[in-house]
mmCIF file of all heavy atoms in Angstrom:
data_model
loop_
_atom_site.group_PDB
_atom_site.id
_atom_site.type_symbol
_atom_site.label_atom_id
_atom_site.label_comp_id
_atom_site.label_asym_id
_atom_site.label_seq_id
_atom_site.Cartn_x
_atom_site.Cartn_y
_atom_site.Cartn_z
ATOM 1 N N GLY A 256 9.869 -18.733 -2.484
ATOM 2 C CA GLY A 256 11.159 -19.335 -2.835
ATOM 3 C C GLY A 256 10.955 -20.796 -3.206
ATOM 4 O O GLY A 256 10.319 -21.540 -2.476
ATOM 5 N N TYR A 257 11.479 -21.178 -4.348
ATOM 6 C CA TYR A 257 11.238 -22.531 -4.833
ATOM 7 C C TYR A 257 11.875 -23.582 -3.928
ATOM 8 O O TYR A 257 13.046 -23.486 -3.567
ATOM 9 C CB TYR A 257 11.768 -22.688 -6.265
ATOM 10 C CG TYR A 257 11.574 -24.092 -6.785
ATOM 11 C CD1 TYR A 257 10.302 -24.553 -7.076
ATOM 12 C CD2 TYR A 257 12.664 -24.955 -6.949
ATOM 13 C CE1 TYR A 257 10.106 -25.855 -7.528
ATOM 14 C CE2 TYR A 257 12.478 -26.250 -7.408
ATOM 15 C CZ TYR A 257 11.195 -26.694 -7.688
ATOM 16 O OH TYR A 257 11.005 -27.974 -8.115
ATOM 17 N N ILE A 258 11.077 -24.564 -3.570
ATOM 18 C CA ILE A 258 11.572 -25.686 -2.782
ATOM 19 C C ILE A 258 11.604 -26.905 -3.692
ATOM 20 O O ILE A 258 10.559 -27.343 -4.177
ATOM 21 C CB ILE A 258 10.647 -25.954 -1.589
ATOM 22 C CG1 ILE A 258 10.672 -24.732 -0.668
ATOM 23 C CG2 ILE A 258 11.060 -27.209 -0.840
ATOM 24 C CD1 ILE A 258 9.475 -24.615 0.210
ATOM 25 N N PRO A 259 12.797 -27.422 -3.970
ATOM 26 C CA PRO A 259 12.895 -28.505 -4.943
ATOM 27 C C PRO A 259 12.044 -29.705 -4.527
ATOM 28 O O PRO A 259 12.111 -30.153 -3.385
ATOM 29 C CB PRO A 259 14.380 -28.876 -4.905
ATOM 30 C CG PRO A 259 15.054 -27.657 -4.393
ATOM 31 C CD PRO A 259 14.103 -27.040 -3.432
ATOM 32 N N ILE A 260 11.230 -30.164 -5.458
ATOM 33 C CA ILE A 260 10.363 -31.288 -5.149
ATOM 34 C C ILE A 260 10.495 -32.394 -6.186
ATOM 35 O O ILE A 260 9.786 -33.382 -6.111
ATOM 36 C CB ILE A 260 8.887 -30.843 -5.094
ATOM 37 C CG1 ILE A 260 8.616 -29.837 -6.216
ATOM 38 C CG2 ILE A 260 8.516 -30.202 -3.780
ATOM 39 C CD1 ILE A 260 7.443 -30.134 -7.028
ATOM 40 N N SER A 261 11.380 -32.209 -7.148
ATOM 41 C CA SER A 261 11.510 -33.286 -8.130
ATOM 42 C C SER A 261 12.893 -33.284 -8.760
ATOM 43 O O SER A 261 13.673 -32.346 -8.601
ATOM 44 C CB SER A 261 10.468 -33.127 -9.239
ATOM 45 O OG SER A 261 10.941 -32.214 -10.208
ATOM 46 N N ASN A 262 13.175 -34.360 -9.476
ATOM 47 C CA ASN A 262 14.470 -34.488 -10.122
ATOM 48 C C ASN A 262 14.472 -33.997 -11.558
ATOM 49 O O ASN A 262 15.375 -34.288 -12.325
ATOM 50 C CB ASN A 262 14.923 -35.951 -10.099
ATOM 51 C CG ASN A 262 15.648 -36.259 -8.809
ATOM 52 O OD1 ASN A 262 16.416 -35.418 -8.319
ATOM 53 N ND2 ASN A 262 15.393 -37.425 -8.243
ATOM 54 N N ASP A 263 13.456 -33.252 -11.895
ATOM 55 C CA ASP A 263 13.334 -32.719 -13.250
ATOM 56 C C ASP A 263 14.582 -31.879 -13.566
ATOM 57 O O ASP A 263 14.958 -31.007 -12.791
ATOM 58 C CB ASP A 263 12.084 -31.830 -13.297
ATOM 59 C CG ASP A 263 11.710 -31.478 -14.707
ATOM 60 O OD1 ASP A 263 12.575 -30.948 -15.451
ATOM 61 O OD2 ASP A 263 10.555 -31.718 -15.071
ATOM 62 N N ASN A 264 15.230 -32.148 -14.708
ATOM 63 C CA ASN A 264 16.491 -31.437 -14.955
ATOM 64 C C ASN A 264 16.322 -29.988 -15.407
ATOM 65 O O ASN A 264 17.283 -29.284 -15.610
ATOM 66 C CB ASN A 264 17.396 -32.233 -15.921
ATOM 67 C CG ASN A 264 16.705 -32.454 -17.249
ATOM 68 O OD1 ASN A 264 15.707 -31.797 -17.546
ATOM 69 N ND2 ASN A 264 17.225 -33.392 -18.045
ATOM 70 N N ARG A 265 15.060 -29.540 -15.522
ATOM 71 C CA ARG A 265 14.842 -28.121 -15.802
ATOM 72 C C ARG A 265 14.905 -27.294 -14.509
ATOM 73 O O ARG A 265 14.864 -26.078 -14.533
ATOM 74 C CB ARG A 265 13.467 -27.909 -16.430
ATOM 75 C CG ARG A 265 13.330 -28.424 -17.851
ATOM 76 C CD ARG A 265 11.876 -28.475 -18.291
ATOM 77 N NE ARG A 265 11.138 -29.508 -17.574
ATOM 78 C CZ ARG A 265 9.832 -29.732 -17.743
ATOM 79 N NH1 ARG A 265 9.127 -28.988 -18.572
ATOM 80 N NH2 ARG A 265 9.219 -30.681 -17.066
ATOM 81 N N LEU A 266 14.962 -27.997 -13.376
ATOM 82 C CA LEU A 266 14.809 -27.325 -12.087
ATOM 83 C C LEU A 266 16.002 -27.532 -11.175
ATOM 84 O O LEU A 266 16.757 -28.484 -11.354
ATOM 85 C CB LEU A 266 13.555 -27.886 -11.388
ATOM 86 C CG LEU A 266 12.226 -27.426 -11.962
ATOM 87 C CD1 LEU A 266 11.108 -28.348 -11.526
ATOM 88 C CD2 LEU A 266 11.940 -26.005 -11.531
ATOM 89 N N PRO A 267 16.178 -26.642 -10.184
ATOM 90 C CA PRO A 267 17.255 -26.850 -9.204
ATOM 91 C C PRO A 267 17.145 -28.245 -8.584
ATOM 92 O O PRO A 267 16.035 -28.739 -8.368
ATOM 93 C CB PRO A 267 16.971 -25.786 -8.142
ATOM 94 C CG PRO A 267 16.163 -24.745 -8.828
ATOM 95 C CD PRO A 267 15.391 -25.438 -9.902
ATOM 96 N N ILE A 268 18.287 -28.853 -8.309
ATOM 97 C CA ILE A 268 18.263 -30.237 -7.842
ATOM 98 C C ILE A 268 17.709 -30.356 -6.422
ATOM 99 O O ILE A 268 17.760 -29.417 -5.645
ATOM 100 C CB ILE A 268 19.659 -30.900 -7.889
ATOM 101 C CG1 ILE A 268 20.645 -30.036 -7.078
ATOM 102 C CG2 ILE A 268 20.110 -31.117 -9.313
ATOM 103 C CD1 ILE A 268 21.904 -30.768 -6.737
ATOM 104 N N LEU A 269 17.202 -31.545 -6.117
ATOM 105 C CA LEU A 269 16.668 -31.838 -4.786
ATOM 106 C C LEU A 269 17.714 -31.522 -3.725
ATOM 107 O O LEU A 269 18.903 -31.780 -3.924
ATOM 108 C CB LEU A 269 16.284 -33.313 -4.687
ATOM 109 C CG LEU A 269 14.948 -33.721 -5.316
ATOM 110 C CD1 LEU A 269 14.782 -35.228 -5.241
ATOM 111 C CD2 LEU A 269 13.800 -33.011 -4.627
ATOM 112 N N GLY A 270 17.245 -30.980 -2.617
ATOM 113 C CA GLY A 270 18.184 -30.697 -1.546
ATOM 114 C C GLY A 270 18.737 -29.285 -1.600
ATOM 115 O O GLY A 270 19.332 -28.804 -0.654
ATOM 116 N N THR A 271 18.556 -28.595 -2.734
ATOM 117 C CA THR A 271 18.979 -27.204 -2.802
ATOM 118 C C THR A 271 18.154 -26.397 -1.810
ATOM 119 O O THR A 271 16.936 -26.545 -1.741
ATOM 120 C CB THR A 271 18.717 -26.635 -4.222
ATOM 121 O OG1 THR A 271 19.286 -27.532 -5.168
ATOM 122 C CG2 THR A 271 19.330 -25.261 -4.380
ATOM 123 N N GLN A 272 18.833 -25.566 -1.027
ATOM 124 C CA GLN A 272 18.106 -24.755 -0.054
ATOM 125 C C GLN A 272 17.212 -23.728 -0.763
ATOM 126 O O GLN A 272 17.633 -23.123 -1.742
ATOM 127 C CB GLN A 272 19.104 -23.999 0.834
ATOM 128 C CG GLN A 272 19.739 -24.866 1.903
ATOM 129 C CD GLN A 272 18.746 -25.276 2.969
ATOM 130 O OE1 GLN A 272 17.912 -24.470 3.371
ATOM 131 N NE2 GLN A 272 18.820 -26.511 3.398
ATOM 132 N N PRO A 273 16.000 -23.529 -0.255
ATOM 133 C CA PRO A 273 15.183 -22.477 -0.848
ATOM 134 C C PRO A 273 15.840 -21.111 -0.621
ATOM 135 O O PRO A 273 16.473 -20.901 0.407
ATOM 136 C CB PRO A 273 13.863 -22.582 -0.087
ATOM 137 C CG PRO A 273 14.135 -23.410 1.124
ATOM 138 C CD PRO A 273 15.312 -24.267 0.810
ATOM 139 N N PRO A 274 15.737 -20.205 -1.590
ATOM 140 C CA PRO A 274 16.414 -18.911 -1.485
ATOM 141 C C PRO A 274 15.706 -17.977 -0.507
ATOM 142 O O PRO A 274 15.039 -17.029 -0.904
ATOM 143 C CB PRO A 274 16.342 -18.373 -2.921
ATOM 144 C CG PRO A 274 15.137 -19.014 -3.511
ATOM 145 C CD PRO A 274 14.977 -20.341 -2.837
ATOM 146 N N LEU A 275 15.892 -18.217 0.776
ATOM 147 C CA LEU A 275 15.124 -17.497 1.787
ATOM 148 C C LEU A 275 15.475 -16.015 1.880
ATOM 149 O O LEU A 275 14.609 -15.178 2.037
ATOM 150 C CB LEU A 275 15.316 -18.150 3.162
ATOM 151 C CG LEU A 275 14.786 -19.583 3.276
ATOM 152 C CD1 LEU A 275 14.988 -20.115 4.683
ATOM 153 C CD2 LEU A 275 13.309 -19.635 2.915
ATOM 154 N N ILE A 276 16.764 -15.708 1.783
ATOM 155 C CA ILE A 276 17.142 -14.305 1.915
ATOM 156 C C ILE A 276 16.607 -13.517 0.722
ATOM 157 O O ILE A 276 16.065 -12.428 0.854
ATOM 158 C CB ILE A 276 18.667 -14.126 1.966
ATOM 159 C CG1 ILE A 276 19.254 -15.068 3.009
ATOM 160 C CG2 ILE A 276 19.018 -12.699 2.285
ATOM 161 C CD1 ILE A 276 20.750 -15.114 2.965
ATOM 162 N N ARG A 277 16.746 -14.124 -0.428
ATOM 163 C CA ARG A 277 16.280 -13.451 -1.633
ATOM 164 C C ARG A 277 14.784 -13.189 -1.535
ATOM 165 O O ARG A 277 14.305 -12.093 -1.836
ATOM 166 C CB ARG A 277 16.590 -14.330 -2.847
ATOM 167 C CG ARG A 277 16.203 -13.667 -4.135
ATOM 168 C CD ARG A 277 16.648 -14.468 -5.329
ATOM 169 N NE ARG A 277 16.299 -13.779 -6.556
ATOM 170 C CZ ARG A 277 16.102 -14.387 -7.706
ATOM 171 N NH1 ARG A 277 16.255 -15.694 -7.780
ATOM 172 N NH2 ARG A 277 15.792 -13.691 -8.780
ATOM 173 N N GLU A 278 14.069 -14.185 -1.096
ATOM 174 C CA GLU A 278 12.633 -14.049 -0.929
ATOM 175 C C GLU A 278 12.327 -12.875 0.007
ATOM 176 O O GLU A 278 11.494 -12.019 -0.275
ATOM 177 C CB GLU A 278 12.119 -15.362 -0.335
ATOM 178 C CG GLU A 278 10.642 -15.532 -0.256
ATOM 179 C CD GLU A 278 10.314 -16.813 0.523
ATOM 180 O OE1 GLU A 278 10.445 -17.903 -0.042
ATOM 181 O OE2 GLU A 278 9.946 -16.706 1.706
ATOM 182 N N ASN A 279 13.060 -12.833 1.108
ATOM 183 C CA ASN A 279 12.881 -11.759 2.075
ATOM 184 C C ASN A 279 13.154 -10.384 1.462
ATOM 185 O O ASN A 279 12.416 -9.428 1.669
ATOM 186 C CB ASN A 279 13.822 -12.034 3.245
ATOM 187 C CG ASN A 279 13.616 -11.055 4.373
ATOM 188 O OD1 ASN A 279 14.247 -10.004 4.392
ATOM 189 N ND2 ASN A 279 12.729 -11.367 5.289
ATOM 190 N N ARG A 280 14.210 -10.291 0.691
ATOM 191 C CA ARG A 280 14.539 -9.017 0.033
ATOM 192 C C ARG A 280 13.441 -8.599 -0.945
ATOM 193 O O ARG A 280 13.146 -7.425 -1.093
ATOM 194 C CB ARG A 280 15.869 -9.139 -0.713
ATOM 195 C CG ARG A 280 17.086 -9.365 0.169
ATOM 196 C CD ARG A 280 17.502 -8.076 0.880
ATOM 197 N NE ARG A 280 18.657 -8.299 1.736
ATOM 198 C CZ ARG A 280 18.643 -8.204 3.064
ATOM 199 N NH1 ARG A 280 17.529 -7.862 3.695
ATOM 200 N NH2 ARG A 280 19.730 -8.425 3.768
ATOM 201 N N LEU A 281 12.851 -9.573 -1.616
ATOM 202 C CA LEU A 281 11.778 -9.238 -2.558
ATOM 203 C C LEU A 281 10.569 -8.681 -1.799
ATOM 204 O O LEU A 281 9.955 -7.702 -2.228
ATOM 205 C CB LEU A 281 11.375 -10.474 -3.370
ATOM 206 C CG LEU A 281 12.437 -10.961 -4.380
ATOM 207 C CD1 LEU A 281 12.077 -12.335 -4.923
ATOM 208 C CD2 LEU A 281 12.596 -9.967 -5.528
#
Side-chain angles (χ1 to χ4, degrees):
Chain A
Y257 178 70
I258 296 158
I260 40 130
S261 83
N262 273 321
D263 192 306
N264 59 15
R265 289 167 291 178
L266 286 162
I268 55 164
L269 281 175
T271 309
Q272 283 291 320
L275 296 182
I276 310 171
R277 183 174 182 206
E278 189 187 283
N279 186 271
R280 295 285 179 246
L281 291 168

